[in-house]
Amino acid sequence: MSAAPPDPELVACLRALARDPLLRGIHQTANQRGQCIWLCGGTLRDALLGRKWQDLDLAADGSAMELGRAFAHSAGGRHIALDQEHDTCRIVIQGRVVDVAGLRGPDIISDLKARDFTVNAIAVDLKQLLDGHPDLLDPTGGREDLALGLLRPAGPGVLRQDPLRVLRAVRFAATHGLRPADGVPERLQRAAPGLAGIAAERIAHEWLAMMAGAEPDKGALLMDQCGALGLLVPELEAGRGMDQNPYHHLDVLEHCLACLEAAVKIRQIPDELFGPLGREIADWLEPERQRACFMTAALLHDIGKPPTMQEREPGWASFHRHDVQGGQMAGLRCRELGLSKADSGHVSALVCGHMRPFHLLGAQSRGQLTLRGVRRLVQATGDDLPGLFALAMADTVAGCGPMRPEDAEERLAKLYKQVARMRDEAISTALAAPPLINGSQLMAALGLEPGPEVGRLLGLIREAQLDGKIGSAYDALALARRILCAG
């Protein structure tokens, strides 16, 4: 056991932790039950890094489950049993989360040595912390690794014990900027095949946390380096070594990784690429879940290319409708990774639509950009319009082949400005107009049965209404009759 010598930075950190009112409450409960409790894991790690903490990670001797239940009862919180076998529970109180786990060993030092990485294998006795005389328990050198920005397993067998820790390493690369110590990528690679036996919901938690981090591109590179990316997303692996065309300088897989890197850059400096509309992009990327879906879409945006690839001539391949097929593939892959139906659908929609800004760009260059075309895009994307243009910009930045226009970013930014202006000035008002007729009225008037045909007719009626071709329910029914008669 080693105790880090006190220094002003450490003292200030521990004093700040000691002021957390939840810690006093759970210490009082533990004291009444005759249990010892330690603050450890992510809370202590982030505090030592000078980061804000919200949730609390605690280890307890005796029954952590019973301690958590008693604290939840006394403090008016909600007790959740996370893992009965490993004596782990969660208390949700005052909008915060407190995780309490039983010791994984005969004492706290053994528990710390059994944790995933050294930076998480640090603890402080809660009683000592609150009394103002704490000793930092750091048996694996985690505080030094934190100072060096290194990620190192806490022990020789910890990755094999739980292969999910491979993804936790990836997550910490993305969220904390930690880089693997020498030899760690090889250890991650040996453990990565074990991910096949991990529950999808556990994988999804780490995936989304990584993608919502400050640097998900670093996490993805580490995943690729240790082989986990190809195991989890074999559709990406299919693009390794697949050349594209003179608009690109990288193969499909490398381009997808570069697109994710560009997406991170867009989040960091949206104004440099989008000017005044950068604020709209930044606001759209602010919600964590939405950002995670966007970054996932950036990584997966071209997974439809391998199955749609057609070689036209040496050095030139086409990928007709890769966006549509890729959107379907991305949605299915996200579900396999354990993402929710809503999140998978969000990723799928972004991937499926990522070429639409380029189609509009082509129409603009030919002088054929119409209000109707822009309206269809706005109608299809809704609130995700900023995200779709951000994804298109990331795709543009990531492609640096010899035929790529030098002003590609500028042209795309100008298009977004034009589309946003049209959206704000005319389209939003038009889309807000109520439909002229609903499905029930249409079926009653024309004697139709419920089914896809009703939806098709309503869509065509709505298009005609928005184009200004019809303006009443009578017109709508007349149009529907003409369509039906035309077969």
Side-chain angles (χ1 to χ4, degrees):
M1 180 173 63
S2 64
D7 60 56
E9 184 178 336
L10 176 60
V11 169
C13 165
L14 296 178
R15 282 179 177 170
L17 283 165
R19 290 192 291 269
D20 192 321
L22 282 186
L23 290 178
R24 292 197 174 274
I26 197 166
H27 170 256
Q28 183 178 5
T29 302
N31 192 48
Q32 291 170 351
R33 295 174 51 84
Q35 290 181 260
C36 293
I37 191 165
W38 294 266
L39 182 67
C40 53
T43 308
L44 199 50
R45 177 199 65 226
D46 287 352
L48 289 169
L49 285 172
R51 294 180 170 219
K52 292 182 179 179
W53 71 91
Q54 171 73 7
D55 301 336
L56 298 175
D57 293 305
L58 300 159
D61 66 359
S63 172
M65 198 72 69
E66 291 301 321
L67 172 60
R69 189 174 288 111
F71 174 60
H73 177 75
S74 65
R78 182 162 60 98
H79 177 266
I80 304 167
L82 294 179
D83 190 335
Q84 292 278 3
E85 182 182 353
H86 294 95
D87 192 23
T88 305
C89 67
R90 172 168 293 170
I91 303 100
V92 181
I93 179 171
Q94 300 169 13
R96 299 178 64 189
V97 171
V98 180
D99 285 342
V100 188
L103 294 180
R104 289 164 286 189
D107 52 42
I108 184 62
I109 298 301
S110 301
D111 174 273
L112 295 175
K113 289 181 177 179
R115 290 179 177 252
D116 51 5
F117 300 102
T118 62
V119 295
N120 295 325
I122 308 170
V124 62
D125 183 285
L126 194 51
K127 182 179 184 303
Q128 292 181 5
L129 177 68
L130 297 176
D131 286 344
H133 304 289
D135 284 330
L136 200 66
L137 305 176
D138 183 14
T140 64
R143 192 175 175 219
E144 181 180 357
D145 282 345
L146 269 182
L148 295 172
L150 291 178
L151 194 65
R152 191 192 315 274
V158 296
L159 298 179
R160 291 193 304 273
Q161 290 167 11
D162 185 0
L164 184 71
R165 288 169 170 172
V166 174
L167 290 192
R168 285 177 64 80
V170 167
R171 191 232 296 182
F172 291 133
T175 58
H176 289 70
L178 299 176
R179 66 186 189 280
D182 291 343
V184 172
E186 292 76 13
R187 295 174 66 177
L188 295 172
Q189 186 173 28
R190 290 193 292 271
L195 288 169
I198 299 298
E201 59 268 19
R202 297 184 71 205
I203 289 176
H205 175 79
E206 296 299 334
W207 180 279
L208 289 171
M210 175 195 75
M211 286 296 178
E215 299 175 301
D217 52 325
K218 289 186 177 180
L221 284 173
L222 180 55
M223 261 203 297
D224 186 44
Q225 186 180 3
C226 71
L229 186 60
L231 289 168
L232 293 176
V233 191
E235 298 88 346
L236 277 175
E237 186 63 29
R240 191 184 299 276
M242 179 175 286
D243 293 331
Q244 303 188 67
N245 52 51
Y247 290 101
H248 293 275
H249 67 299
L250 301 170
D251 69 28
V252 174
L253 171 60
E254 291 170 333
H255 172 69
C256 286
L257 291 168
C259 184
L260 177 57
E261 182 181 2
V264 173
K265 178 183 177 183
I266 287 171
R267 186 194 171 204
Q268 293 169 343
I269 52 169
D271 295 347
E272 285 193 19
L273 293 166
F274 287 102
L277 284 170
R279 184 69 263 161
E280 186 173 83
I281 298 288
D283 289 343
W284 189 89
L285 287 169
E286 185 61 29
E288 235 178 60
R289 201 78 169 197
Q290 187 153 282
R291 184 168 69 249
C293 289
F294 169 76
M295 295 299 177
T296 300
L299 179 62
L300 304 185
H301 79 287
D302 272 352
I303 63 171
K305 281 188 171 178
T308 60
M309 183 247 197
Q310 291 185 327
E311 189 172 0
R312 292 166 53 184
E313 58 185 73
W316 190 290
S318 64
F319 307 93
H320 182 59
R321 289 179 65 80
H322 74 276
D323 47 346
V324 176
Q325 183 156 344
Q328 297 170 349
M329 294 167 63
L332 291 172
R333 177 49 54 193
C334 286
R335 292 296 280 159
E336 289 288 325
L337 289 171
L339 273 65
S340 70
K341 187 176 181 180
D343 289 341
S344 300
H346 199 181
V347 173
S348 176
L350 287 169
V351 172
C352 188
H354 81 272
M355 291 299 295
R356 294 189 70 163
F358 297 111
H359 298 329
L360 280 187
L361 201 59
Q364 184 188 53
S365 66
R366 297 188 299 271
Q368 299 172 349
L369 184 65
T370 63
L371 183 64
R372 184 182 188 187
V374 173
R375 190 194 66 230
R376 284 181 168 177
L377 177 63
V378 172
Q379 194 171 6
T381 57
D383 293 339
D384 285 339
L385 184 69
L388 196 64
F389 268 89
L391 180 55
M393 182 65 79
D395 194 7
T396 297
V397 172
C400 296
M403 287 188 62
R404 174 186 181 275
E406 290 185 6
D407 61 344
E409 291 94 341
E410 182 182 352
R411 290 170 58 195
L412 192 61
K414 285 182 177 178
L415 175 66
Y416 182 41
K417 183 178 180 181
Q418 185 175 356
V419 168
R421 185 176 65 251
M422 294 167 75
R423 173 200 64 191
D424 297 339
E425 291 178 354
I427 295 173
S428 297
T429 302
L431 292 177
L436 298 173
I437 194 169
N438 61 37
S440 298
Q441 293 167 327
L442 185 66
M443 289 186 289
L446 301 182
L448 299 174
E449 294 294 326
E453 181 67 1
V454 175
R456 184 178 78 90
L457 288 172
L458 288 173
L460 293 172
I461 290 169
R462 182 65 168 166
E463 279 287 325
Q465 176 193 358
L466 295 173
D467 287 341
K469 295 178 179 178
I470 59 175
S472 68
Y474 177 85
D475 294 339
L477 288 174
L479 174 61
R481 288 190 182 97
R482 290 197 300 271
I483 294 171
L484 288 174
C485 289

